[in-house]
Amino acid sequence: MVNRPSPSLALSPSPERGTTLYAVVGGEDWLTNQIGLLERLGIRQWIYLGDDDVGRIHTGRAIGGRASRVSLAGLMDETSWELRQPYIDWIGELSGANASVEWWASGLAEKNPYGKLFVRICLLASAKKLIDAGLDGPTLVVCSSDALMEELGRLAGVAGIAVEPVSDAGGAPTIDRLSTQARRLARGPYRLARRAMGRSPAPVDADPAYRRDILAHNRGGPSGDFSGTDSILVFTWVDRRNFAPDGSYVDPHLGCLPEMLKERGFRIAYVPRVLPTIPFEEAVERLTRTGELLFFPELFTSLEEIEACGSRAERYRPVIPSDSRVGRVMVADLAKEEMDGDEHALAEALAYEPLIANLARAGVRPRQIMHTTEGHRWEYVVAYAARRHMPGTKVVAYEAGTYSRMQLSLYHAAGEHRLRPLPDRVVTNSGSARDTLAAGGLPPDIVKAGCAMRFREMSTAAPHSVGPDRPAPEDRGVPMRVLAATSITLGDSVHLAAKAVEAFGGDPGVELLVKPHPMVDSAELKRLLGDSAAHDNVRFVDEPIDQLLASVHVALYTYTNVCYEALWRGVPPVFVRAENALNLDKLEAAPDARWTATTPEDLRRAVSEIRSMTPDQIREWQSVAASALAAAMEPVTPECLDAFIA
């Protein structure tokens, strides 16, 4: 298998031109009105020092061909691996200074790889490498926050980068160690899409009072009395995927685990968290008709308790030493900026404590609480609250997907587990996953190897020997069918779809199918891509992923389990590497099972290589793919259920 990582970019300095960094926060709006300044200042290159792929793409459109972009893709990947452990260790130090339920509910303690802090640290460290290597002439740097721009100014000053005076009529804002003036003159509205997902609930649908009214109409008052050694309370997420055609309940996140527990004699009750992709009233009505035992969180958390959690979140300020550093980047101001926008998510996580307390008071004291895990903040609050309000109840977390080591929230600093409220048990899909988590900071005694409950079919049935027949290179009239399967975030989806469209849009030899994740609004994705996606050979599709994989020749992916489904169905997967984000590749442990691509040119090369594979090469890849599946997903058996029972 040939994987061609993009080389790190090194630029030589040009003494006769000198180097000046011109910086702006935001970029798109400012550039629209000031685009002529690029020519007057001699700017021929620009760097996007931001954490939003939507912003990068739109800024590029505003600049057009007036300046070339210096890509950080290779540098970001290299730097993120260099700083991964130092960042985890720094968060561990903060945990020692801030250990409290508010801290565990914070975005800093969570280390969500889709958060902005670690990405911005890596962006700055990457920019520092470019500065040290030498930038050829005046360079525009588009930043996504004030703190990021200020730290860039410090790094540039240390490197002796030339700084020109700024005047109201004199041109672009300049990076300065004392960036107050630069911030005042440079700041442009940063109104680019920042939502974590491409859709959000209507305000009324998300209102707690409205939800309580809907529940009162459908179910009456709250009920309790769920306890005993045969009782398991499952926290899960709900949208239309949770309902079978006959209306019965299925769980797309836990797979066959609930039914196997029932077969073993356990009683199951659910705490359903309704996702924004389904109207709340519809979800409640359909859930109620399933006949499952349900404890809706909205009935066990009062409006006063929700308001109190909001007040606590607004008041909370963790201790962050001013000299905090990760690598060569000063991070205190970046961390404080991250906390400034964290109040709503912090309050939502804190609300899990009164939920657990009120469930316990209502008689809900199960043998164990069970939930899927990605190391998110609410999980720590559940473990904390269960030990406080439900003594004797064990918390079991199922690591239901295979993952990348860049899923930072699953890894902790050495010794931090003595402070962090972890589950009593974490169950993985396989022994190799167990070993990786244990080596990454989880106490080995709580990590157990289970089996791939969520992917039962893939774990127990032999993989398909080969996907659809690929057109031979000489069959120029027969297109390759390429599937771009996006992940859960809007920015990541735009990144993948934009690169795929740039690579294959208008190419008669490729039929490109773009499949948005169920949590991403297809219409919003199309809007952000704009006219660039208007090609006859590009289609946005919503068919189930298994149907699509049965008909395509190549699958492009980022952070999604589609890569494993592709392996199982005999479809070669191509990981599309990030530009301004972390590379969360779920096949990083099996590099020979997939291809990688960073640029549209890389994508075209990978698809051409896959099309040209000989029968022997196909058989070789199939063997590698089968081994990768076997290592990631232990077969589901009655015996493997024991790992899930604490």
Side-chain angles (χ1 to χ4, degrees):
M1 208 59 51
V2 178
N3 292 297
R4 303 179 175 86
S6 295
S8 299
L9 181 62
L11 300 177
S12 301
S14 176
E16 67 274 11
R17 295 184 63 189
T19 297
T20 302
L21 297 183
Y22 297 94
V24 60
V25 174
E28 180 189 6
D29 296 313
W30 179 82
L31 285 163
T32 299
N33 298 318
Q34 306 290 338
I35 200 69
L37 290 175
L38 295 178
E39 292 187 7
R40 292 204 295 273
L41 293 168
I43 292 173
R44 292 292 180 266
Q45 62 185 6
W46 62 284
I47 300 170
Y48 187 74
L49 209 65
D51 42 64
D52 189 329
D53 284 290
V54 179
R56 173 178 54 79
I57 291 169
H58 282 198
T59 300
R61 289 176 184 167
I63 292 176
R66 300 173 182 87
S68 61
R69 181 170 66 89
V70 179
S71 173
L72 295 177
L75 282 175
M76 270 291 289
D77 193 46
E78 169 190 292
T79 303
S80 63
W81 284 105
E82 292 172 357
L83 297 183
R84 175 187 177 275
Q85 194 59 49
Y87 176 72
I88 290 172
D89 292 340
W90 174 63
I91 295 298
E93 294 173 10
L94 293 184
S95 293
N98 293 286
S100 66
V101 67
E102 287 84 2
W103 169 251
W104 307 123
S106 73
L108 292 182
E110 181 185 36
K111 305 189 300 294
N112 190 324
Y114 280 115
K116 294 180 174 20
L117 179 57
F118 184 59
V119 172
R120 289 176 176 174
I121 292 171
C122 293
L123 286 167
L124 283 165
S126 298
K128 172 65 173 168
K129 291 179 180 180
L130 283 177
I131 290 171
D132 290 345
L135 288 166
D136 185 15
T139 303
L140 176 68
V141 184
V142 180
C143 303
S144 59
S145 81
D146 288 335
L148 195 151
M149 186 172 76
E150 291 190 14
E151 177 56 21
L152 177 65
R154 190 193 71 80
L155 292 173
V158 169
I161 294 295
V163 178
E164 294 184 357
V166 176
S167 65
D168 290 332
T174 311
I175 281 288
D176 191 303
R177 285 188 185 182
L178 304 173
S179 61
T180 303
Q181 184 183 29
R183 187 171 63 250
R184 183 175 67 248
L185 294 175
R187 185 173 179 83
Y190 192 67
R191 296 196 299 263
L192 304 174
R194 286 170 169 264
R195 285 176 294 174
M197 287 172 270
R199 56 179 62 163
S200 58
V204 172
D205 201 52
D207 182 76
Y210 167 79
R211 290 189 166 203
R212 288 171 68 88
D213 288 343
I214 293 295
L215 287 164
H217 175 73
N218 280 273
R219 291 181 53 83
S223 59
D225 191 18
F226 182 73
S227 61
T229 58
D230 64 343
S231 57
I232 296 178
L233 185 66
V234 175
F235 281 69
T236 193
W237 307 102
V238 173
D239 59 12
R240 292 189 177 95
R241 292 171 293 172
N242 292 67
F243 306 102
D246 64 359
S248 61
Y249 180 82
V250 294
D251 198 301
H253 313 288
L254 293 161
C256 60
L257 179 56
E259 291 308 310
M260 290 186 68
L261 288 168
K262 289 178 182 179
E263 291 170 3
R264 184 72 70 90
F266 289 97
R267 293 179 297 130
I268 305 296
Y270 295 95
V271 178
R273 280 81 51 84
V274 177
L275 292 168
T277 51
I278 182 173
F280 186 75
E281 184 171 12
E282 177 189 342
V284 170
E285 291 176 350
R286 296 181 70 174
L287 282 168
T288 303
R289 289 198 296 268
T290 65
E292 300 288 348
L293 183 56
L294 305 164
F295 295 105
F296 288 94
E298 292 83 1
L299 293 178
F300 289 88
T301 314
S302 70
L303 300 180
E304 292 76 17
E305 288 168 328
I306 293 173
E307 291 177 1
C309 289
S311 297
R312 288 168 64 190
E314 290 175 359
R315 294 193 304 268
Y316 181 63
R317 294 294 181 271
V319 175
I320 304 173
S322 59
D323 61 349
S324 293
R325 179 189 298 268
V326 175
R328 292 192 288 177
V329 177
M330 301 296 293
V331 296
D333 289 343
L334 291 169
K336 291 172 183 176
E337 184 179 62
E338 180 97 341
M339 284 299 300
D340 285 343
D342 195 48
E343 292 86 354
H344 180 70
L346 175 57
E348 284 189 338
L350 287 173
Y352 279 84
E353 183 179 8
L355 169 60
I356 296 287
N358 292 335
L359 284 167
R361 277 192 284 270
V364 179
R365 294 177 177 272
R367 172 197 181 106
Q368 65 189 61
I369 288 172
M370 185 173 290
H371 59 74
T372 58
T373 181
E374 290 183 272
H376 289 166
R377 58 177 82 188
W378 66 267
E379 301 171 27
Y380 302 124
V381 180
V382 166
Y384 170 91
R387 293 186 184 115
R388 185 176 184 188
H389 302 288
M390 294 180 178
T393 295
K394 301 295 184 182
V395 179
V396 176
Y398 172 35
E399 202 292 300
T402 49
Y403 49 85
S404 162
R405 285 175 295 159
M406 275 297 158
Q407 182 69 37
L408 302 177
S409 50
L410 286 169
Y411 300 92
H412 311 299
E416 190 183 3
H417 60 268
R418 293 191 294 270
L419 298 171
R420 189 178 288 267
L422 297 171
D424 296 285
R425 182 174 295 183
V426 176
V427 185
T428 64
N429 279 335
S430 67
S432 63
R434 173 202 57 204
D435 296 343
T436 302
L437 281 182
L442 278 181
D445 59 319
I446 75 168
V447 188
K448 306 295 181 185
C451 51
M453 293 287 186
R454 181 175 176 177
F455 308 106
R456 183 173 191 169
E457 188 177 14
M458 282 194 287
S459 72
T460 56
H464 294 240
S465 59
V466 67
D469 290 338
R470 298 170 188 81
E474 60 271 16
D475 295 337
R476 300 187 182 279
V478 182
M480 286 279 281
R481 289 170 59 84
V482 176
L483 173 66
T486 83
S487 74
I488 195 171
T489 67
L490 179 62
D492 200 26
S493 300
V494 171
H495 157 72
L496 175 62
K499 279 194 176 173
V501 168
E502 186 176 349
F504 304 117
D507 183 347
V510 172
E511 182 181 355
L512 177 62
L513 308 179
V514 179
K515 163 66 173 172
H517 186 280
M519 290 295 290
V520 171
D521 188 335
S522 180
E524 178 72 355
L525 178 58
K526 290 179 188 177
R527 186 189 71 80
L528 291 170
L529 291 172
D531 294 339
S532 66
H535 297 279
D536 291 341
N537 70 323
V538 177
R539 286 198 298 122
F540 287 77
V541 294
D542 59 5
E543 290 97 322
I545 199 70
D546 58 342
Q547 294 180 19
L548 292 168
L549 287 172
S551 67
V552 300
H553 306 112
V554 180
L556 314 182
Y557 74 99
T558 51
Y559 190 58
T560 168
N561 285 314
V562 168
C563 59
Y564 279 98
E565 296 181 67
L567 292 183
W568 186 64
R569 293 188 176 277
V571 177
V574 180
F575 178 68
V576 182
R577 300 168 71 198
E579 294 270 347
N580 289 74
L582 305 181
N583 282 315
L584 287 91
D585 180 6
K586 294 198 175 194
L587 286 176
E588 72 181 35
D592 290 337
R594 51 76 166 129
W595 284 252
T596 62
T598 301
T599 65
E601 292 76 17
D602 293 340
L603 278 173
R604 288 191 287 269
R605 206 161 35 233
V607 169
S608 176
E609 182 178 311
I610 292 167
R611 182 169 189 161
S612 300
M613 290 171 72
T614 66
D616 285 345
Q617 289 173 324
I618 291 172
R619 283 190 291 271
E620 178 186 354
W621 173 77
Q622 289 167 352
S623 176
V624 171
S627 297
L629 279 169
M633 299 181 185
E634 296 284 349
V636 175
T637 64
E639 292 74 25
C640 78
L641 186 64
D642 295 340
F644 295 87
I645 301 171

